[in-house]
Amino acid sequence: MTATEETAMTIGLAAEPASAGHHPAPATAARVVAALKRRRRWRPLEAVFWAATLASVLLLPSKHLILNEIAILGLFALSLDLILGFAGVISLGHAAFFGVGAYCAGLVATHGITEPLAGLAAAAALTALLGWATSYLVLRGTDLTRLMVTMGIALILGELANQMAWLTGGADGLQGIMMGPVAGWFEFDLFGTTAYAYSLSVLFVLFLAARRITNSPFGLSLLSIRDNPLRAAAVGVPVNGRLVQVYTLAAAYAGVAGALLAQTTQFVSVDVLEFHRSADVMLILIIGGTGYLYGGLVGAVLFKLLQDMLAGFTPQYWHFWIGIFLIALVLVGRERMVGGVAAAVRRLARRT
Amino acid sequence: MIAKRTFLLGAAAAALLAAAPPVYAQDAVKIGLILPMTGPFASTGRQIEAAVKLYQAQNGATVAGKKVEVIVKDDTGTPDITKRLAQELVVNDKVSFLAGFGLTPLALAATQIATQGKVPEVVMAAATSTITEASPYVVRTSMTLPQVTTPVADWAAKNGVKKAMTMVADYGPGIDAEKAFTETLTKQGGTVESLRVPLRNPDFAPFLQRVADAKPDALFVFVPAGIGSIFMKQFVERGLDKSGVKLIGSGDMTDDDLLNDMGDVALGAVTSFHYSAAHPSAENKAFVDSFKKMHSMRPNFMAVAGYDGMHLIYEALKKTNGATGGDALVAAMKGMSWTSPRGPISIDPQTRDIIQNVYIRKVERMDGELYNVEFDTVPNVKDPVKAAKK
């Protein structure tokens, strides 16, 4: 199967009949529009997912703090999925945007603007600018170079944050962030309920936007770039332009995720720019899968819950169990593992 | 697509199942012990947890008729995780004490929760002077860097050190140490040049080269717990051990946990600190012996702070008859004094910080192992930074 055919399969287009030859059938455009429309339709399982998420706000009041972290991590992973899963741009330095977003929101708050939404907007704007500027570095070269360049950018920013203690608080962290109520109404509480509802709303809105964007002709062109950039260029897709756009968008998403972390924990430390953040978010996508938007969200849920459970169970050795899980995941394969569980559930269901 | 769908459903179900709240006994006093148990500062967590276990094994898990339950959480040395864990412990587990806190940023991240939740925060490791000022609920059983640094600066001045260099980890306690050392030595006519090494991924080589070029009388070093052996190795690699530069520092550098593995290069290093496993007292001998028997490792200053922290919590509960209001507990802790394995200590009623003896020690070989052997004592040292503010 060629790459372009793969793209066609992903969006649900039947392969061209061989007789069409060089001339695309006049109906192709109409078929693409119809396919995109089909993809945009909400599937029942998506509704179940979001209903479960909404239910967690009401039913799990004692878990809001970790759920808030999961929502933020999910948004961060969604941002990486936009470039990795849809445009095939691999990055090991995505924490750069996350961290800059966090510092931006934190600094906006310490300098007197305590309205959270204003902080979010500022963080999104700044990280979009940073994403746009660095995208030109990232576009040069192939995957390995990209890994190095993205990692380098994050490392440089991390060191800057460490050195510029007068601005960032250095290794002691940015202290004294006091957030005002969300939209002038909802105060952040000790239980994390406002924080979770706030992060979740932002995640949902940005998810909707990402869903719309990826299921558009723009999204299609990204998929074709991911599958075969040369071919995409040959059929007239402006490869570099598209990559710059999606990289900028993903940077803004990551910045918002960082800003949410800064606002809901009211604290920023150099840690937000560290390598392990970039690595974690990559792991999350490996766990959840790329290229269908839910991968990051599901991966974040599994990763954090697994981590929290194991760390509660054995605070010293939980890394070991996470490692075992990841190896099993990669060796057995996610689809097979989930398929096996699903088959077992079906068998059980039939028996009863 | 089907696999992905079932995956989504499975994940949602798993999330709901895993989130079921845990059940705890009702009539227990809970202590939330937040420590870095993994990552670069894991040795801090290991020592404190071991000491807390030892204290409970020796003194029982019941005090003032209530069962004391310790919940250990790993914050991996990441401040936002510390904060979330502290918040969860206060809100969900209803802990009466927060304790632990391996590094200054971690302790500071939790102070807001301590204030909002009115829960005493017993700091067992973090050593920046300002931490106790960040919340009226912070009580410290470890030390502050200026407290243990000033005495070694005095010692250096008395022993002919005119030109010194400082090399500190570039964060709160390091800067505190640098300031305290520089002020004390310059007041007595010395000159000091300062170097700061990044806290994360420290590479001392370029800094040590500058020391080798400048050839000062003495090099003062502060590195966080667990990093001392890396420093020693690079110190020797540069040949500085033979250059006549006297190596002095706060006791973090010759941490008991690592000292024996550093080898003879550490011999003769002079440090000032509040605790040495070789402290000659009956209390300390009993502490070190039972600690070694239980955990087969040597206790260091982190362990003794964890041990004393537990003692403070137990005694405060005895004073309040098991009542757990944060204000009453902190009030009970203020001014408390007892004989710890490290010597006589007390909690300053004004600052809630620890008052303790600081010892000047030299690394020597005892019974085939390296120890910090104390040869001078500065009694009842208060944190000089907060003392100077009044």
Side-chain angles (χ1 to χ4, degrees), chain A residues 210-344:
Chain A
R211 196 176 183 281
R212 183 67 185 77
I213 291 168
T214 51
N215 290 331
S216 70
F218 174 81
L220 271 193
S221 68
L222 288 179
L223 287 180
S224 69
I225 293 171
R226 177 194 72 185
D227 291 337
N228 192 336
L230 276 181
R231 218 168 180 182
V235 297
V237 176
V239 173
N240 278 359
R242 287 288 147 87
L243 287 181
V244 167
Q245 285 158 8
V246 75
Y247 198 76
T248 307
L249 179 75
Y253 268 55
V256 170
L260 285 177
L261 183 76
Q263 293 178 340
T264 54
T265 61
Q266 315 206 346
F267 184 77
V268 188
S269 69
V270 185
D271 190 86
V272 290
L273 285 160
E274 293 231 333
F275 176 70
H276 73 85
R277 298 252 178 205
S278 310
D280 279 356
V281 77
M282 187 70 93
L283 274 183
I284 285 166
L285 275 188
I286 292 172
I287 294 173
T290 57
Y292 71 111
L293 290 180
Y294 284 95
L297 309 189
V298 172
V301 172
L302 285 182
F303 181 77
K304 262 288 163 194
L305 287 183
L306 204 64
Q307 188 180 337
D308 193 56
M309 265 159 53
L310 291 175
F313 182 57
T314 157
Q316 291 205 31
Y317 303 114
W318 58 271
H319 279 277
F320 172 82
W321 296 106
I322 290 248
I324 293 270
F325 171 74
L326 286 175
I327 292 172
L329 189 75
V330 173
L331 283 185
V332 179
R334 181 177 46 254
E335 313 262 297
R336 235 184 301 165
M337 218 152 99
V338 175
V341 173

Side-chain angles (χ1 to χ4, degrees), chain A residues 8-270:
Chain A
M9 294 278 290
T10 353
I11 65 154
L13 269 181
E16 292 271 299
S19 60
H22 304 296
H23 311 289
T28 302
R31 288 201 305 138
V32 169
V33 170
L36 281 176
K37 217 178 228 167
R38 263 204 308 286
R39 265 166 72 78
R40 252 178 253 152
R41 217 174 289 144
W42 284 85
R43 277 172 285 277
L45 215 79
E46 290 182 88
V48 171
F49 179 86
W50 288 108
T53 323
L54 186 65
S56 71
V57 181
L58 305 171
L59 298 180
L60 299 170
S62 68
K63 292 281 159 184
H64 282 169
L65 290 161
I66 187 157
L67 286 170
N68 176 48
E69 240 173 66
I70 291 174
I72 291 170
L73 206 54
L75 179 59
F76 188 28
L78 175 66
S79 145
L80 184 63
D81 197 14
L82 281 178
I83 55 169
L84 180 64
F86 289 89
V89 176
I90 192 159
S91 164
L92 260 185
H94 217 48
F97 307 119
F98 186 80
V100 168
Y103 272 115
C104 176
L107 287 170
V108 165
T110 51
H111 287 78
I113 303 172
T114 56
E115 164 58 46
L117 293 174
L120 277 195
L126 183 69
T127 47
L129 190 69
L130 182 71
W132 173 77
T134 53
S135 65
Y136 292 94
L137 295 173
V138 173
L139 292 187
R140 298 176 175 275
T142 51
D143 286 350
L144 264 184
T145 350
R146 280 174 184 165
L147 284 183
M148 301 295 293
V149 170
T150 48
M151 219 173 107
I153 292 170
L155 286 178
I156 291 170
L157 288 171
E159 200 44 48
L160 276 179
N162 190 21
Q163 294 296 328
M164 291 161 62
W166 54 271
L167 183 70
T168 62
D172 292 336
L174 185 63
Q175 306 282 341
I177 301 174
M178 294 303 288
M179 293 312 300
V182 180
W185 194 256
F186 303 99
E187 287 275 5
F188 284 109
D189 54 303
L190 194 59
F191 299 88
T193 305
T194 310
Y196 179 45
Y198 170 55
S199 298
L200 200 60
S201 318
V202 173
L203 170 67
F204 186 62
V205 169
L206 289 184
F207 177 85
L208 288 184
R211 196 176 183 281
R212 183 67 185 77
I213 291 168
T214 51
N215 290 331
S216 70
F218 174 81
L220 271 193
S221 68
L222 288 179
L223 287 180
S224 69
I225 293 171
R226 177 194 72 185
D227 291 337
N228 192 336
L230 276 181
R231 218 168 180 182
V235 297
V237 176
V239 173
N240 278 359
R242 287 288 147 87
L243 287 181
V244 167
Q245 285 158 8
V246 75
Y247 198 76
T248 307
L249 179 75
Y253 268 55
V256 170
L260 285 177
L261 183 76
Q263 293 178 340
T264 54
T265 61
Q266 315 206 346
F267 184 77
V268 188
S269 69
V270 185

Side-chain angles (χ1 to χ4, degrees), chain B residues 259-293:
Chain B
L259 180 60
N260 205 29
D261 302 325
M262 291 180 190
D264 289 348
V265 295
L267 278 176
V270 173
T271 55
S272 64
F273 220 34
H274 56 293
Y275 179 67
S276 158
H279 178 67
S281 76
E283 287 89 358
N284 187 46
K285 199 174 169 329
F287 170 67
V288 173
D289 286 348
S290 43
F291 191 94
K292 275 186 179 163
K293 201 189 278 167

Side-chain angles (χ1 to χ4, degrees), chain B residues 149-150 152-158 161-166 177-194 220 248:
Chain B
T149 315
T150 321
V152 82
D154 280 330
W155 180 86
K158 269 184 225 137
V161 172
K162 285 271 166 286
K163 189 179 146 204
M165 282 177 101
T166 62
E178 177 192 288
K179 220 171 124 204
F181 184 87
T182 311
E183 274 174 13
T184 315
L185 197 68
T186 40
K187 220 181 276 168
Q188 307 186 39
T191 56
V192 181
E193 191 183 333
S194 307
F220 170 86
I248 58 178

Side-chain angles (χ1 to χ4, degrees), chain B residues 87-376:
Chain B
Q87 213 165 343
E88 282 182 349
L89 284 165
V90 169
V91 171
N92 296 344
D93 296 321
K94 311 255 182 306
V95 295
S96 309
F97 298 90
L98 291 168
F101 307 103
L103 288 172
T104 297
L106 309 180
L108 287 174
T111 50
Q112 217 179 356
I113 305 298
T115 311
Q116 281 178 351
K118 295 191 191 312
V119 176
E121 176 178 339
V122 180
V123 175
M124 295 173 167
T128 304
S129 173
T130 52
I131 295 172
T132 48
E133 290 164 338
S135 160
Y137 293 91
V138 174
V139 182
R140 174 153 45 194
T141 61
S142 51
M143 51 136 178
T144 79
L145 251 301
Q147 183 180 42
V148 300
T149 315
T150 321
V152 82
D154 280 330
W155 180 86
K158 269 184 225 137
N159 286 272
V161 172
K162 285 271 166 286
K163 189 179 146 204
M165 282 177 101
T166 62
M167 186 190 288
V168 301
D170 189 3
Y171 76 127
I175 294 159
D176 270 7
E178 177 192 288
K179 220 171 124 204
F181 184 87
T182 311
E183 274 174 13
T184 315
L185 197 68
T186 40
K187 220 181 276 168
Q188 307 186 39
T191 56
V192 181
E193 191 183 333
S194 307
L195 301 172
R196 288 182 188 174
V197 185
L199 173 64
R200 311 259 161 178
N201 318 315
D203 177 17
F204 299 101
F207 301 98
L208 285 170
Q209 190 54 52
R210 284 180 58 185
V211 176
D213 295 343
K215 286 214 179 7
D217 299 332
L219 173 66
F220 170 86
V221 176
F222 165 75
V223 287
I227 312 291
S229 50
I230 306 173
F231 167 78
M232 274 302 176
K233 206 166 150 255
Q234 299 195 351
F235 187 74
V236 178
E237 277 168 4
R238 299 262 140 189
L240 276 160
D241 52 334
K242 294 177 194 74
S243 68
V245 176
K246 193 173 293 187
L247 185 60
I248 58 178
S250 71
D252 311 75
M253 178 177 64
T254 55
D255 182 354
D256 272 304
D257 200 13
L258 311 164
L259 180 60
N260 205 29
D261 302 325
M262 291 180 190
D264 289 348
V265 295
L267 278 176
V270 173
T271 55
S272 64
F273 220 34
H274 56 293
Y275 179 67
S276 158
H279 178 67
S281 76
E283 287 89 358
N284 187 46
K285 199 174 169 329
F287 170 67
V288 173
D289 286 348
S290 43
F291 191 94
K292 275 186 179 163
K293 201 189 278 167
M294 190 167 174
H295 302 292
S296 51
M297 61 180 174
R298 196 197 285 183
N300 69 356
F301 63 103
M302 293 297 181
V304 84
Y307 193 78
D308 286 336
M310 281 305 279
H311 185 78
L312 184 65
I313 289 171
Y314 268 51
E315 290 303 312
L317 281 170
K318 276 182 202 161
K319 256 193 176 173
T320 62
N321 273 326
T324 53
D327 293 302
L329 285 170
V330 172
M333 288 174 177
K334 283 181 183 169
M336 202 178 272
S337 67
W338 69 98
T339 306
S340 141
R342 61 182 119 167
I345 60 175
S346 63
I347 302 296
D348 189 333
Q350 272 94 47
T351 61
R352 288 162 278 104
D353 220 326
I354 189 164
I355 303 175
Q356 58 192 339
N357 292 352
V358 176
Y359 307 92
I360 313 281
R361 318 93 49 91
K362 186 183 255 173
V363 177
E364 283 172 22
R365 197 167 277 285
M366 264 171 61
D367 311 325
E369 288 191 27
L370 293 178
Y371 277 101
N372 292 300
V373 179
E374 298 166 356
F375 62 87
D376 201 359

